[in-house]
Amino acid sequence: MKLLWGDIHNHCGITYGYGSLKNALERAKSHLDFCAVTGHAMWPDIPDRTEETAFVVDFHQAGFEKLRAHWDEVAAQLAACNSKELVTFQAYEMHSSEYGDHHIVSPSDSLPLIYRDSPAQLKEDCKVPALTVCHHIAYTPGYRGINWDKFDETVTPLIEVCSKHGCGMSETAPYPYYHNMGPRDSRNTVYEGLRRGYHFGFVGSTDHHAGFPGSYGDGKMAVWAEEKTRESIWQAMLARRTYAVTGDRIECEFSVNGAPMGSILSPDDDAPRRIEYRVKGCYKLDKVVIFKNLRPIHIDEGLMLFPSPDDNHYKLRIEMGWGNNKTDLFRWLGNVTVENGSILSVEPCFRGRSVLAPSSTNTDGFDDVNDIDSKLLEVSAQRASWQCFSVKNVSPLHPLTSSVILELEGSPETQLTIDVNGHRQTLTVKQLMEGGYSAHMKPYHSQAFKVHPIFTETEYSVSGTLTDDTHGGKDFYHMEVYQANGSCAFVTPVYFG
């Protein structure tokens, strides 16, 4: 199986978003394995138009009409982009106060744009292979959060558990909802759906509205697929071999009795259940929790993970941003050269300019909003170079920084020469294990970059096996991963019954 990364729910100027479809697909190709770019298509129970609701109703209706007028060319452009570099899917979105917002996703380039009142009708009447995904589920019932009373897992086998809206896993999960659509509601969380006995896979997506699929920090989707093809990824979705991350690409494997995440097994009251898991993070782990029926049965504490003298694998994060540039993109050019060691991989954690929805003063298409050079990253065994862009952080608690994460092989004596926008410094792995550093571009209110402390493999990786002898009936097991930098992973359960 291959671990692949994608975003099947994001927007651009094909409806009421920003940025061109061409640029969105270029952004996706630069750092994702698969994607869909999702047009807003319908809202069957949209509120009546009044003086108070006029702006909301009008910009939605204008967006829906824009997609209707250009659907054939949008679908053709997505189809033409499907390749070994980037696997694409067709998709569009249905708002609903009654059912909750869903997007339909299909591997067929013949997916028709049709209008129905429910996700089930939409899936059935499109007459091509398709599934629906419910997103930002934890909003108040009737306010476009999920309706578990009308949920159908045969129509909606995947639930988007995190996105730019926040995390809908539970009432106490990180990343609460703070969009103007309202707060989280316990009745509409992932945990509530699991309590009711539904089977579904977890996914993350950005719900980004400015043509940057996979924009860092908004949510991404992982699949375990046989190969990087549309059919193989589609089969992985149907089998629920999926999980969600909020930011970093945390590698997760999870199985019960040899069956991978998303499996539905027959209950067996006599046989013990063997749980196997492996986590490889991108920063120091905080904790890894194994749950049975939403109760923790095993916890690996990050405080217990210390560097080992035998470690020869490391991860180093270089983060760029800050400053006061609200509108203009600030360009970063960086590189790292390694002596007496090697670079195994580099993970790009790049963000697009952040937009969630139009405002009454800002409704233009801005086709060039994230029109940036697609050659963002080059990597060899001894050198990595990159370019990325940043704007001012939304607030002191809401970052818009971009990063790269280097995975290295070497020793404490391995030497790293780090150059970011001409600020050059040479340090050993040992020195970076003791602490990182930062530098500014100007004397005051300046863009800056931060070289984080380096972490060893024993600090960001853990694996294990445990046996549950106290089973009985329709149980389910899932895993949640928390890193010290706030990134999380939520792994689809293995279900019994």
Side-chain angles (χ1 to χ4, degrees):
M1 290 283 186
K2 293 183 178 181
L3 182 59
L4 303 173
W5 297 96
D7 180 358
I8 57 171
H9 176 209
N10 59 88
H11 305 283
C12 68
I14 58 176
T15 49
Y16 56 81
Y18 305 87
S20 70
L21 178 57
K22 176 180 180 294
N23 289 343
L25 291 169
E26 285 296 318
R27 301 292 73 72
K29 191 185 300 183
S30 72
H31 71 131
L32 295 177
D33 296 306
F34 63 95
C35 84
V37 180
T38 316
H40 302 93
M42 70 199 82
W43 188 349
D45 52 5
I46 194 169
D48 292 335
R49 190 181 188 281
T50 66
E51 184 177 350
E52 184 177 9
T53 65
F55 169 71
V56 172
V57 171
D58 289 351
F59 88 68
H60 279 92
Q61 297 290 18
F64 302 156
E65 177 56 37
K66 187 176 182 181
L67 187 66
R68 269 195 296 272
H70 298 282
W71 174 249
D72 288 344
E73 60 193 85
V74 167
Q77 197 167 342
L78 275 160
C81 195
N82 184 52
S83 66
K84 292 180 180 180
E85 283 186 280
L86 178 70
V87 174
T88 61
F89 293 87
Q90 302 288 343
Y92 54 85
E93 178 171 341
M94 179 184 78
H95 299 339
S96 175
S97 299
E98 181 179 2
Y99 295 94
D101 284 12
H102 289 67
H103 49 285
I104 188 168
V105 182
S106 175
S108 172
D109 291 323
S110 299
L111 175 69
L113 179 58
I114 59 175
Y115 306 91
R116 298 294 184 269
D117 292 334
S118 73
Q121 291 174 327
L122 188 62
K123 178 180 182 296
E124 180 178 355
D125 292 349
C126 73
K127 303 300 183 184
V128 296
L131 56 80
T132 69
V133 183
C134 193
H135 56 264
H136 54 56
I137 68 167
Y139 284 119
T140 308
Y143 278 73
R144 291 168 56 192
I146 199 168
N147 186 341
W148 287 121
D149 291 336
K150 296 187 176 182
F151 178 71
D152 185 342
E153 65 187 51
T154 66
V155 174
T156 308
L158 303 176
I159 294 290
E160 186 178 287
V161 306
C162 60
S163 72
K164 186 179 279 293
H165 285 259
C167 178
M169 285 294 294
S170 69
E171 193 71 270
T172 57
Y175 306 103
Y177 285 16
Y178 284 113
H179 186 264
N180 59 19
M181 288 171 63
R184 289 188 296 211
D185 189 300
S186 296
R187 295 169 291 177
N188 275 5
T189 60
V190 171
Y191 278 20
E192 174 61 21
L194 294 173
R195 286 190 189 99
R196 293 189 181 208
Y198 293 124
H199 309 96
F200 49 84
F202 300 170
V203 301
S205 287
T206 60
D207 205 354
H208 195 276
H209 277 59
F212 202 118
S215 181
Y216 177 76
D218 296 331
K220 269 193 281 287
M221 171 182 178
V223 301
W224 283 102
E226 295 286 350
E227 55 186 352
K228 186 178 170 179
T229 63
R230 183 184 277 183
E231 180 58 28
S232 185
I233 296 170
W234 179 248
Q235 291 304 318
M237 290 186 200
L238 295 177
R240 300 171 296 275
R241 289 196 305 273
T242 64
Y243 65 93
V245 298
T246 61
D248 293 351
R249 299 183 187 190
I250 303 169
E251 296 181 23
C252 297
E253 294 181 66
F254 183 74
S255 65
V256 182
N257 291 349
M261 61 186 76
S263 300
I264 302 176
L265 306 178
S266 298
D268 184 344
D269 292 341
D270 298 322
R273 293 169 182 170
R274 179 181 173 86
I275 301 163
E276 297 180 86
Y277 65 99
R278 182 187 70 84
V279 174
K280 181 179 178 182
C282 306
Y283 206 76
K284 184 175 174 63
L285 291 174
D286 179 15
K287 60 185 175 182
V288 176
V289 187
I290 309 296
F291 291 84
K292 174 187 177 182
N293 302 334
L294 303 180
R295 294 183 178 274
I297 59 172
H298 177 81
I299 301 175
D300 286 308
E301 291 282 0
L303 291 173
M304 306 302 292
L305 302 175
F306 294 101
S308 164
D310 299 325
D311 274 327
N312 64 353
H313 285 185
Y314 310 90
K315 286 205 173 180
L316 173 66
R317 180 187 303 260
I318 302 173
E319 185 176 9
M320 297 145 285
W322 294 274
N324 270 339
N325 53 313
K326 294 181 180 180
T327 56
D328 295 332
L329 292 172
F330 185 86
R331 186 181 188 188
W332 295 95
L333 296 172
N335 64 78
V336 173
T337 303
V338 179
E339 293 184 30
N340 299 318
S342 60
I343 299 171
L344 300 178
S345 66
V346 180
E347 176 184 334
C349 304
F350 300 154
R351 301 181 200 257
R353 190 178 304 194
S354 185
V355 182
L356 186 55
S359 70
S360 58
T361 59
N362 190 11
T363 57
D364 292 332
F366 296 118
D367 281 354
D368 61 349
V369 65
N370 280 307
D371 184 10
I372 57 181
D373 191 335
S374 61
K375 196 76 169 180
L376 299 178
L377 182 66
E378 294 183 343
V379 182
S380 68
Q382 307 309 131
R383 190 175 190 274
S385 61
W386 66 89
Q387 64 170 313
C388 60
F389 302 82
S390 67
V391 293
K392 178 183 179 180
N393 291 334
V394 176
S395 80
L397 295 177
H398 298 86
L400 288 177
T401 56
S402 289
S403 305
V404 291
I405 304 170
L406 290 89
E407 184 179 12
L408 307 165
E409 185 175 50
S411 70
E413 287 68 46
T414 296
Q415 196 170 79
L416 305 174
T417 299
I418 301 166
D419 187 313
V420 181
N421 282 28
H423 292 255
R424 182 183 178 93
Q425 190 158 352
T426 299
L427 295 167
T428 64
V429 165
K430 181 179 180 181
Q431 288 173 306
L432 287 167
M433 287 172 64
E434 295 169 356
Y437 68 94
S438 61
H440 291 253
M441 302 297 103
K442 296 184 295 187
Y444 190 70
H445 283 175
S446 171
Q447 290 81 14
F449 69 91
K450 176 177 175 61
V451 177
H452 288 249
I454 208 165
F455 293 108
T456 64
E457 190 167 21
T458 50
E459 296 176 281
Y460 60 77
S461 298
V462 69
S463 61
T465 302
L466 59 146
T467 301
D468 178 25
D469 293 315
T470 60
H471 51 80
K474 295 184 176 181
D475 301 316
F476 57 91
Y477 302 82
H478 83 281
M479 179 169 70
E480 299 181 9
V481 180
Y482 299 88
Q483 292 187 161
N485 69 334
S487 281
C488 312
F490 303 103
V491 180
T492 296
V494 174
Y495 300 92
F496 284 81

